[in-house]
Amino acid sequence: MAAGRYDIKIEQGSTFTLNLTYKDSNDQPLNLSTYQSRMKIKDSHEGSVIASTESGDAPLNTISIALGSSTNNVVVTITDTATAAFNFDHAVYDIELVSNSGAVERLIEGRVFLSKEVTS
């Protein structure tokens, strides 16, 4: 199944949460208990990492993703401290699911827009 397309806006200095509900091509909930997830935000597709779930991207590994074990929910969170450090106008992201067998499926992709903070 092709990745969904969804642009997101992150408010600098605020906790960012993205709740996704994942269903298969028959509109049925997909059991996510056998999957791991990963996400990166980059300044361009081939560019520099801004934020990631990957430990290899430390100290930029500031994204956490919770997969529902009995539901098909995907919850992405970036803390207010992490978003306060962001300094870009727009970027790109994607989220991938990795099965226990190692198969990778891109869940969603899009652009990221940063709404810059005035009060800090």
Side-chain angles (χ1 to χ4, degrees), residues 32-72:
L32 299 176
S33 64
T34 61
Y35 288 83
Q36 294 184 9
S37 58
R38 59 189 183 199
M39 176 180 178
K40 288 192 182 194
I41 298 173
K42 291 184 170 185
D43 60 5
S44 67
H45 283 89
E46 301 294 324
S48 299
V49 172
I50 295 169
S52 170
T53 56
E54 304 297 299
S55 60
D57 291 324
L60 301 175
N61 56 332
T62 57
I63 302 172
S64 65
I65 300 178
L67 299 178
S69 58
S70 61
T71 66
N72 54 341

Side-chain angles (χ1 to χ4, degrees), residues 3-11 16-20 39 41 45 88-95 107-114:
R5 176 106 180 132
Y6 183 72
D7 295 340
I8 58 178
K9 180 171 75 170
I10 295 175
E11 294 180 349
F16 172 78
T17 304
L18 175 64
N19 292 294
L20 303 170
M39 176 180 178
I41 298 173
H45 283 89
F88 62 88
D89 292 318
H90 53 81
V92 294
Y93 82 99
D94 64 13
I95 301 173
L107 175 63
I108 193 168
E109 64 186 9
R111 296 176 294 172
V112 181
F113 299 94
L114 184 65

